[in-house]
Amino acid sequence: QVQLVESGGALVQPGGSLRLSCTASGETRYAIGWFRQAPGKEREGVACISDVNGAVYFPDSVKGRFTISRDKAKNTVYLQMSALRPDDTARYYCTTTGISCYSDYLGSWGQGTQVTVSS
């Protein structure tokens, strides 16, 4: 089973940018989604990418600010985040969602990577 590892989280000031990486231990053709969970809140989908759906963004709040991309040669999915806001503060996770970004399937969760937006 392919394992996914998140990295790239950091403390950043409001308005700043950050790029998260989700690196797979091997080749995977499945959809990969980024999720986040803030303290006291439920985990929510942020973005997903698949051969079937292309790039998909879920909360309206990230549209136009976040960009998901995939480098198949490096088995890595990136989440480029810009114009970061304090309400983007959360632990970010990636996992597979099967073939489609809209399936009910979710793979296992890793440790995630912490993003904190604060001045």
Side-chain angles (χ1 to χ4, degrees):
Q1 186 175 0
V2 174
Q3 302 295 318
L4 302 176
V5 178
E6 307 92 341
S7 63
L11 170 64
V12 62
Q13 292 188 342
S17 298
L18 207 56
R19 188 178 79 165
L20 305 183
S21 299
C22 172
T23 302
S25 57
E27 181 180 356
T28 176
R29 297 182 178 181
Y30 291 125
I32 301 292
W34 279 101
F35 298 75
R36 66 185 180 185
Q37 188 167 22
K41 295 187 177 181
E42 291 188 354
R43 191 172 298 180
E44 67 170 349
V46 176
C48 179
I49 191 165
S50 74
D51 291 341
V52 174
N53 310 112
V56 179
Y57 302 94
F58 296 109
D60 288 339
S61 63
V62 308
K63 293 177 181 177
R65 299 190 299 123
F66 290 11
T67 302
I68 189 169
S69 62
R70 189 170 201 163
D71 186 334
K72 291 186 176 181
K74 296 183 178 180
N75 296 326
T76 299
V77 172
Y78 301 101
L79 184 67
Q80 178 69 46
M81 306 184 293
S82 61
L84 283 164
R85 310 182 319 204
D87 60 359
D88 293 317
T89 295
R91 196 157 192 88
Y92 285 71
Y93 302 84
C94 65
T95 191
T96 177
T97 65
I99 297 298
S100 168
C101 288
Y102 298 104
S103 75
D104 293 330
Y105 175 80
L106 290 175
S108 58
W109 298 105
Q111 294 187 337
T113 187
Q114 179 67 36
V115 173
T116 302
V117 184
S118 175
S119 55

